[in-house]
Amino acid sequence: MADAKERKILVAVDDGLESLYALSWSLHNLVSQTSNDTIILIYAKPPRTVNTSPDGYLFSPDMMASVDKCRNDLASSIIEKAKKICREQGDKEVKVEVIIESGDPRDVICQAADKIHADVLVMGSHGYGLIKRAFLGSVSNHCAQNVKCPVLIVKKPKSSSSATGTK
Amino acid sequence: MADAKERKILVAVDDGLESLYALSWSLHNLVSQTSNDTIILIYAKPPRTVNTSPDGYLFSPDMMASVDKCRNDLASSIIEKAKKICREQGDKEVKVEVIIESGDPRDVICQAADKIHADVLVMGSHGYGLIKRAFLGSVSNHCAQNVKCPVLIVKKPKSSSSATGTK
């Protein structure tokens, strides 16, 4: 790789182990000792589409605040886990930035990749859970078809129980 | 990247510029100066499914030999072009190996990736031509879903007319 190349490596993270494995794989296989890379972690918070209960009554402001707090806590927890992987697993210290947006992960990720002019988008292949995926379609499929930059789709080996990305 | 890591980078090439751009991108962004990488070029020759003419008469052996020669010449020409890119564009000298198999590219690529235990499969997103893709479905889509190793799908920027892969 050319020296001092500055690259933006956008890594989509979610609450699944596979996205953390993809992050780990990138640190070991894509981040270069001779490049000046920035890992940009992106997390899409599910949109808050419902503020009424199924029977039509509004949830109380307290309840909505509590739901929002849970969503924010989950986002923080995932990002912290991802940052820890960056600190501990990279072969060199790598700059880390974070993007958290609310919305459909397909839109959030594709828009961010184009907006920041990512050099490569990294994601797990089965993010966002089996049930959500059935409704949403595969997020990685969608992004592979729609973002302009190269897309690296990483599967977590079945035998691997930890997010190490090492071989 | 850890020193002296040995990786097999499987790159699917075809007669489209996009696959050569994907190869070029890999040389600049994935092959590391500190790793001991081998680029394995894979080309799937379209299977010879028809040996009769539409009206039922057998093509002559001469004609079939001529068709086979064309297919082999095309394969050689594509592989030579890809090898040239490896020689000229890599930031370091990289080992190159070649796999040529007849068959549906989806099967050929997926089987090879698993058989050689590729560390990563690289491919263009629109390989194998618009018309063939309409019949076959997207080869890259299929491979992304079916191979075990990470898959890097590289799109050729619309503004880029050459297979350089540089930014």
Side-chain angles (χ1 to χ4, degrees):
Chain A
M1 265 176 249
D3 288 348
K5 189 185 289 177
E6 292 194 14
R7 300 182 307 178
K8 291 176 183 169
I9 300 173
L10 183 64
V11 183
V13 292
D14 60 17
D15 54 356
L17 267 186
E18 196 166 55
S19 72
L20 298 182
Y21 180 85
L23 168 62
S24 180
W25 195 94
S26 306
L27 289 164
H28 289 285
N29 290 278
L30 197 57
V31 170
S32 161
Q33 287 177 336
T34 55
S35 289
N36 191 10
D37 294 323
T38 301
I39 293 270
I40 300 164
L41 303 167
I42 183 163
Y43 175 74
K45 282 198 291 189
R48 196 179 76 176
T49 51
V50 178
N51 61 359
T52 56
S53 64
D55 55 3
Y57 291 102
L58 278 172
F59 284 129
S60 70
D62 279 359
M63 194 173 285
M64 290 313 297
S66 166
V67 169
D68 281 346
K69 185 177 179 306
C70 276
R71 285 156 31 96
N72 292 336
D73 286 351
L74 178 63
S76 301
S77 153
I78 289 165
I79 290 295
E80 278 317 307
K81 204 179 285 183
K83 280 183 171 174
K84 187 165 181 268
I85 289 173
C86 291
R87 280 195 305 275
E88 293 178 356
Q89 293 194 18
D91 293 324
K92 64 172 275 189
E93 199 171 321
V94 65
K95 280 177 288 187
V96 178
E97 294 176 7
V98 172
I99 297 172
I100 299 176
E101 300 262 4
S102 287
D104 182 324
R106 294 174 300 183
D107 300 330
V108 166
I109 295 167
C110 289
Q111 284 163 10
D114 288 345
K115 187 177 170 190
I116 68 167
H117 300 289
D119 289 289
V120 56
L121 164 64
V122 180
M123 50 200 321
S125 66
H126 293 121
Y128 301 96
L130 281 178
I131 294 172
K132 282 186 203 163
R133 195 159 48 97
F135 288 102
L136 290 174
S138 161
V139 176
S140 60
N141 245 8
H142 178 88
C143 292
Q145 284 169 12
N146 289 283
V147 300
K148 292 178 191 140
C149 69
V151 178
L152 176 66
I153 299 171
V154 183
K155 289 182 188 173
K156 189 169 166 296
K158 282 183 182 153
S159 58
S160 167
S161 58
S162 64
T164 63
T166 51
K167 288 166 289 180
Chain B
M1 265 177 249
D3 288 347
K5 188 185 290 178
E6 291 193 17
R7 300 182 308 179
K8 291 177 184 170
I9 300 173
L10 183 64
V11 183
V13 291
D14 61 17
D15 55 355
L17 268 185
E18 198 166 55
S19 72
L20 298 182
Y21 180 85
L23 168 62
S24 180
W25 195 93
S26 307
L27 289 164
H28 290 285
N29 289 277
L30 197 56
V31 170
S32 161
Q33 287 177 334
T34 55
S35 288
N36 191 9
D37 295 322
T38 302
I39 293 269
I40 301 163
L41 303 167
I42 183 164
Y43 175 72
K45 282 199 290 189
R48 196 178 75 174
T49 52
V50 177
N51 63 359
T52 55
S53 65
D55 55 4
Y57 290 102
L58 276 173
F59 284 130
S60 69
D62 280 0
M63 193 174 284
M64 290 313 298
S66 165
V67 169
D68 282 346
K69 184 177 179 307
C70 275
R71 286 155 32 95
N72 292 336
D73 287 351
L74 179 63
S76 302
S77 152
I78 289 165
I79 290 295
E80 278 316 306
K81 203 178 287 184
K83 279 183 173 175
K84 188 165 180 267
I85 289 173
C86 291
R87 280 195 305 274
E88 294 179 356
Q89 293 194 18
D91 294 325
K92 64 171 277 188
E93 201 171 321
V94 66
K95 279 176 287 187
V96 178
E97 294 176 6
V98 173
I99 298 172
I100 299 177
E101 299 263 3
S102 288
D104 182 325
R106 296 173 299 183
D107 300 330
V108 167
I109 296 167
C110 289
Q111 284 163 11
D114 288 346
K115 188 177 170 192
I116 67 167
H117 300 291
D119 290 291
V120 57
L121 165 64
V122 180
M123 51 200 319
S125 65
H126 294 121
Y128 300 97
L130 282 177
I131 295 171
K132 281 188 206 160
R133 193 158 51 97
F135 289 101
L136 289 173
S138 161
V139 176
S140 59
N141 244 8
H142 178 88
C143 293
Q145 283 169 12
N146 289 284
V147 301
K148 291 179 190 139
C149 69
V151 178
L152 176 67
I153 299 170
V154 183
K155 288 181 189 173
K156 188 168 166 295
K158 282 184 182 150
S159 59
S160 167
S161 59
S162 64
T164 62
T166 51
K167 285 165 289 182

